[in-house]
Amino acid sequence: MINIPKGTKDVLPLESYKWHYIENIARETASLFGVKEIRTPTFEHTELFLRGVGDTTDIVNKEMYTFEDKGKRSITLKPEGTAGVARAFIENGLVSLPMPVKMYYITPVFRYERPQAGRLREHHQFGVEFYGAKSADIDAEVILLANTLLTKAGLNVKLNINSMGCEKCRKEYNAKLKEFFKDNLSNMCPTCKERYEKNPLRILDCKEEGCKKINENAPSILDFLCDECSEHFESLKAHLDVAGLEYAINPKIVRGLDYYTKTVFEFVTTSLGSQGTVCGGGRYDKLIEQIGGTSVPGVGFGMGLERVIMLMEAEGVNIPNDDKVTVFIASMGESANKKAFELSYKLRLKGVSAETDHIGRSFKSQFKYADKIGAKYVIALGDDELLSGVCKVKKMADGTESEIKLDKVLEYNF
Ligand code: ATP
Ligand code: MG
């Protein structure tokens, strides 16, 4: 017996409707906001993530699935969605499209993490990337898109926002942070000791209890924003206010990726234990330049679809199952079986989902089976029906039966 790799999951036939449901909501919401789909490869050159995501991040340091292909190139399975889209944007000259360019993706994401509930080695993200607009109203629009999707999915989540400033504000803030952490260094986890040297801001993102405690009293980035970043943050809040979306300001949100500037945000819930972040994003005005393009501002988010589905289940959201069959044609005897086979095919051609028996079940167990698969109607065909040219259609919801001519089955309004 060969088992599934650790940290991966099968989506089984009886649960795939949940995925269709949330993916449809995601696509519909994207369309309402004028966002078009982009699909990029599952793997990229490793260099893209080193430059795009940043080599002081957990993702690049510890979590990437990197291998050498047969042509001796270093290849990495997507550890997030943004870098690939940014590469495609530059490579395909999308900068010449009318701005803003609004794109979304639904993609598998691979991270070598310690698997636990809501934390997988392959998970799936819906994400958006808006390029070409600097002002904070578009940050608000991106946040509202995520909120619309989560609301349509029947979820109750909280929005946290922050600003990470720009290079200018961060320089001063980093110095202050180092000063603050200096005395606490001996009580911090080994990773944070490294972060202290390379990128002290990352320490604020640490999930170790000891470091979290120290972080409580750390200076706030919001006290170090330059005028431009500060106005941007005020404008973001004003736009969320006019939309009537509530938020909390949380200066500890720094996000796990290096490319963020100004706005960062997270949608969180307390219903999923410690894996409560369902969506995270922000602005990245330097990313396109960092990976070799011209200067184009961007903003977006990534949303973990496994976590969204887990949350829907935890909150008891009713996920409608449209995968049910409309008509089951039960039959007995060789001629009736053939007729049932013919009719089920012709019904499908007309857009009505139809099933018939393939296992040689008795009439009674065909009815039971039809019930099990959720058939809305059952037609029973035997020699009598073939002879009289009339059959019965049973509506399963209330058990009512109506008689129709066999040659009118295809026109029946199921
Ligand atoms: P976390 O702090 O939970 O590790 P992150 O900051 O690494 O999250 P992002 O890189 O922002 O997460 O990814 C966007 C979203 O994708 C997250 O908010 C989460 O919903 C989901 N996600 C991230 N990593 C995983 C994972 N290993 N398994 C399942 N979902 C994940
Ligand atoms: Mg992570």
Side-chain angles (χ1 to χ4, degrees):
M1 169 69 202
I2 298 167
N3 294 323
I4 194 169
K6 215 172 153 183
T8 62
K9 269 204 170 138
D10 297 312
V11 175
L12 299 174
L14 294 184
E15 58 188 18
S16 45
Y17 73 93
K18 297 176 190 168
W19 283 85
H20 300 162
Y21 183 68
I22 193 64
E23 284 166 8
N24 284 340
I25 290 181
R27 289 181 197 282
E28 271 165 32
T29 309
S31 160
L32 284 175
F33 281 76
V35 188
K36 304 253 184 306
E37 185 178 10
I38 180 162
R39 299 187 189 196
T40 65
T42 305
F43 57 83
E44 297 272 358
H45 292 294
T46 303
E47 179 70 16
L48 175 68
F49 303 115
L50 296 183
R51 279 213 266 160
V53 179
D55 54 11
T56 63
T57 60
D58 281 357
I59 292 184
V60 168
N61 268 336
K62 303 190 286 200
E63 299 173 358
M64 293 209 301
Y65 275 89
T66 299
F67 59 96
E68 195 174 78
D69 73 2
K70 290 190 167 51
K72 306 250 178 273
R73 299 169 198 92
S74 179
I75 295 291
T76 295
L77 303 182
K78 266 187 205 180
E80 52 89 66
T82 296
V85 175
R87 189 230 4 100
F89 181 86
I90 300 169
E91 196 166 351
N92 296 287
L94 301 190
V95 69
S96 65
L97 292 177
M99 297 287 166
V101 179
K102 300 184 185 183
M103 297 170 279
Y104 80 87
Y105 57 79
I106 296 179
T107 184
V109 170
F110 305 87
R111 296 182 187 178
Y112 196 81
E113 302 205 65
R114 195 167 62 78
Q116 43 192 302
R119 194 169 289 286
L120 297 160
R121 290 186 174 169
E122 179 185 24
H123 72 277
H124 296 80
Q125 287 188 15
F126 166 75
V128 308
E129 313 285 333
F130 287 14
Y131 287 117
K134 275 202 300 221
S135 57
D137 50 286
I138 203 141
D139 305 44
E141 188 168 297
V142 160
I143 291 173
L144 291 169
L145 192 163
N147 186 63
T148 307
L149 191 167
L150 294 167
T151 308
K152 277 171 177 260
L155 296 178
N156 239 321
V157 285
K158 293 212 153 48
L159 168 63
N160 289 325
I161 60 169
N162 188 25
S163 174
M164 289 180 68
C166 60
E167 283 161 319
K168 260 195 303 184
C169 354
R170 256 190 340 236
K171 205 165 162 200
E172 206 189 322
Y173 179 58
N174 269 331
K176 261 280 175 325
L177 266 184
K178 276 193 128 166
E179 212 178 289
F180 169 80
F181 285 127
K182 204 161 92 192
D183 299 334
N184 292 303
L185 212 53
S186 55
N187 297 322
M188 291 191 321
C189 75
T191 319
C192 279
K193 283 180 185 146
E194 248 173 71
R195 288 172 175 147
Y196 178 83
E197 296 305 331
K198 288 192 197 152
N199 192 348
L201 208 75
R202 279 274 88 73
I203 297 173
L204 297 176
D205 206 25
C206 187
K207 291 176 180 87
E208 298 284 329
E209 282 311 318
C211 303
K212 265 163 81 177
K213 193 130 197 85
I214 297 167
N215 282 334
E216 276 169 21
N217 299 316
S220 160
I221 174 87
L222 295 176
D223 295 330
F224 293 82
L225 295 185
C226 67
D227 287 350
E228 188 196 320
C229 289
S230 177
E231 275 160 33
H232 196 272
F233 194 48
E234 289 309 311
S235 171
L236 169 68
K237 289 189 277 181
H239 282 89
L240 293 175
D241 288 339
V242 289
L245 183 59
E246 281 179 29
Y247 52 83
I249 296 166
N250 180 352
K252 297 280 148 37
I253 300 180
V254 291
R255 313 276 315 120
L257 312 168
D258 266 356
Y259 47 58
Y260 289 106
T261 46
K262 296 194 171 84
T263 308
V264 282
F265 64 91
E266 288 180 351
F267 282 91
V268 290
T269 163
T270 46
S271 322
L272 294 181
S274 52
Q275 262 54 260
T277 313
V278 288
C279 174
R283 173 168 282 280
Y284 27 86
D285 289 346
K286 297 281 167 223
L287 174 65
I288 297 283
E289 255 172 293
Q290 240 170 59
I291 60 173
T294 53
S295 171
V296 181
V299 54
F301 67 72
M303 183 183 288
L305 293 179
E306 279 82 359
R307 287 193 197 171
V308 169
I309 293 176
M310 270 174 76
L311 186 57
M312 289 166 82
E313 286 169 344
E315 294 198 351
V317 174
N318 174 41
I319 306 179
N321 185 352
D322 292 334
D323 281 355
K324 302 248 161 85
V325 60
T326 306
V327 190
F328 186 86
I329 308 177
S331 62
M332 194 48 68
E334 203 177 315
S335 313
N337 290 348
K338 276 215 186 85
K339 190 71 190 166
F341 185 82
E342 177 201 334
L343 283 176
S344 60
Y345 174 58
K346 290 185 174 163
L347 279 169
R348 290 163 178 162
L349 285 179
K350 293 189 71 130
V352 178
S353 68
E355 288 291 322
T356 185
D357 180 59
H358 297 287
I359 311 290
R361 292 183 173 90
S362 68
F363 243 140
K364 200 173 150 200
S365 46
Q366 287 184 51
F367 267 85
K368 264 197 201 150
Y369 174 73
D371 195 39
K372 227 182 234 166
I373 61 173
K376 295 185 184 104
Y377 297 88
V378 177
I379 296 176
L381 290 187
D383 290 339
D384 290 352
E385 283 75 15
L386 292 190
L387 225 94
S388 65
V390 176
C391 65
K392 281 193 181 122
V393 180
K394 182 174 179 182
K395 194 173 178 190
M396 298 299 269
D398 55 14
T400 51
E401 286 186 329
S402 46
E403 285 201 337
I404 56 169
K405 288 210 169 113
L406 211 46
D407 57 10
K408 291 280 182 266
V409 168
L410 296 180
E411 276 100 72
Y412 191 79
N413 189 19
F414 289 109

